[in-house]
Amino acid sequence: MSPPPLIELRGIVVEAGGRTILDVPRLALGPKRTTAVLGANGAGKTTLLRVAGALTRPTAGEVLLDGRAATAASIRRVSAAVLQRPLLRRATVQENAETGLRFHRVPRPEARRRASEWLDRLGVGHLTGRPAHTLSAGEAQRVSLARALALSPRLLLLDEPFSNLDAPTRGELIVDLGEVLAATGAAALLVTHDRHEAAALADRIAILHGGELRQDGPTAEVWGHPADPDCARILGYDTVLETDLARRVLPGTPHRLALRSEDCAVAPPGAAANGSSLTIEAELRRVIPLGSTSRVIAELDGRRLLATAPAPAPAWLARLRPGDPIAVRLEREHARPVADTAAERPALS
């Protein structure tokens, strides 16, 4: 018999200002697993995290811990939080890392040992005597993680912990955090708007849209099979084709199709079709340089198509102006069907 989830949210509803801001029929976090809650800003991600961490009382529903009704005290005994903007005291790095342990009345020598161990492990042990307010954003987040992990939590609550970091710092910290979670066996609930962070760290992905839990499942399944157009866009499928155009890509399909922009390439107007893709004629709207590639926005019958092109743009593309014809090649094998109605979505696990 499999063990119960570490944390389970059942029938959670949160209302504020006369409207429902969170509606989660069920979300279960397995022990020693990472679940990412993915959604746009304002989707209800932080509210869900606060409910799971017993920081917000839901209007309806219950939170279970190890299969039993949880209390705020029982959840706080097993969890630790890392926030988007680390809240560090105006004290030294060492003192900040010991804060949670001291709150839990861990003797000073033991608190110092455990905090120092995690500061070293996260690469900031050489900063122990520094005032916390002098740290860089990346250093501060590592101290915040050390403070949380020193508590040996069974559940780590991560609220957009990488959002204020530059790209290289973010990448390094994601790798380090993944290794820490694997080594300690702590479960994690990560809320993020970044699908790449979710894919890098999570065993499961849950998608919130407008406060509603739309999809929940293993990372690979959710990543490759978005439940509906909103989930598709959150997962980076920039173009959703209505059924009439979708049937030109995959004859006979009863659903809309979603494609990522990297699976839609542009070509000169009148370009010949090839066997693996559908080539359609559209109108150019805009070319946006993005470093090594360009984002191309085209339009067909009033519907937007997003595609990619090299950067700098090839000569034929640079000569085109908004409204000029352009060919867009849609890769059939990368098109993903998405539900047209709520009833057609995959059932939440």
Side-chain angles (χ1 to χ4, degrees):
M1 184 176 179
S2 60
L6 173 59
I7 292 282
E8 183 179 356
L9 280 62
R10 286 186 182 173
I12 295 295
V13 174
V14 177
E15 296 177 347
R19 65 186 185 91
T20 298
I21 61 172
L22 187 67
D23 183 1
V24 178
R26 182 178 183 269
L27 183 65
L29 283 68
K32 302 181 181 181
R33 293 288 184 266
T34 297
T35 295
V37 179
L38 190 59
N41 292 333
K45 303 186 302 295
T46 296
T47 300
L48 186 150
L49 187 87
R50 290 181 61 85
V51 170
L55 299 172
T56 293
R57 183 187 295 274
T59 307
E62 61 178 344
V63 179
L64 306 181
L65 175 64
D66 294 322
R68 299 180 179 179
T71 64
S74 67
I75 291 177
R76 289 169 188 167
R77 278 195 295 270
V78 304
S79 65
V82 178
L83 305 178
Q84 178 176 339
R85 293 179 174 83
L87 299 177
L88 300 182
R89 298 161 46 209
R90 294 190 67 83
T92 67
V93 164
Q94 180 72 39
E95 290 166 334
N96 271 278
E98 294 176 16
T99 299
L101 295 165
R102 300 299 301 278
F103 179 81
H104 285 276
R105 301 184 183 278
V106 174
R108 184 183 292 272
E110 175 69 6
R112 179 165 290 273
R113 182 191 68 78
R114 287 166 61 176
S116 296
E117 178 182 315
W118 276 106
L119 289 170
D120 287 339
R121 195 163 177 176
L122 287 163
V124 286
H126 61 293
L127 302 176
T128 54
R130 282 262 301 271
H133 72 274
T134 67
L135 300 178
S136 68
E139 291 167 344
Q141 196 59 284
R142 287 177 181 273
V143 173
S144 181
L145 276 166
R147 178 175 59 192
L149 290 163
L151 295 169
S152 301
R154 295 175 62 201
L155 173 64
L156 198 59
L157 302 169
L158 302 163
D159 187 6
E160 301 269 13
F162 313 112
S163 62
N164 289 319
L165 306 180
D166 59 60
T169 302
R170 181 188 303 122
E172 291 175 3
L173 191 52
I174 287 172
V175 171
D176 290 346
L177 178 57
E179 292 175 350
V180 164
L181 292 173
T184 62
L189 178 62
L190 166 69
V191 301
T192 178
H193 65 275
D194 189 310
R195 64 184 184 275
H196 300 296
E197 292 175 6
L201 286 170
D203 303 286
R204 295 182 69 87
I205 291 178
I207 297 179
L208 279 180
H209 181 73
E212 178 187 4
L213 182 63
R214 292 285 187 87
Q215 190 169 7
D216 171 32
T219 296
E221 180 181 314
V222 171
W223 189 261
H225 303 281
D228 60 32
D230 294 319
C231 292
R233 293 185 181 98
I234 290 167
L235 289 165
Y237 292 85
D238 310 281
T239 295
V240 176
L241 307 178
E242 298 300 323
T243 51
D244 57 340
L245 185 54
R247 289 192 184 102
R248 292 174 60 186
V249 178
L250 292 179
T253 183
H255 298 294
R256 286 179 279 186
L257 293 176
L259 294 105
R260 292 192 168 98
S261 58
E262 55 263 36
D263 299 321
C264 305
V266 294
N274 60 44
S276 66
S277 64
L278 170 71
T279 300
I280 60 175
E281 293 289 331
E283 289 185 358
L284 177 66
R285 286 291 173 260
R286 193 176 180 191
V287 179
I288 306 171
L290 297 173
S292 60
T293 62
S294 294
R295 175 69 56 85
V296 178
I297 303 175
E299 189 174 293
L300 176 64
D301 298 332
R303 291 171 291 189
R304 193 174 72 158
L305 303 173
L306 273 71
T308 56
W316 68 264
L317 180 57
R319 288 194 295 267
L320 297 183
R321 294 292 178 264
D324 286 346
I326 191 171
V328 180
R329 287 176 170 155
L330 310 176
E331 291 295 333
R332 289 185 167 93
E333 64 182 78
H334 295 144
R336 297 290 181 263
V338 294
D340 292 319
T341 66
E344 294 176 338
R345 289 185 210 140
L348 295 173
S349 57

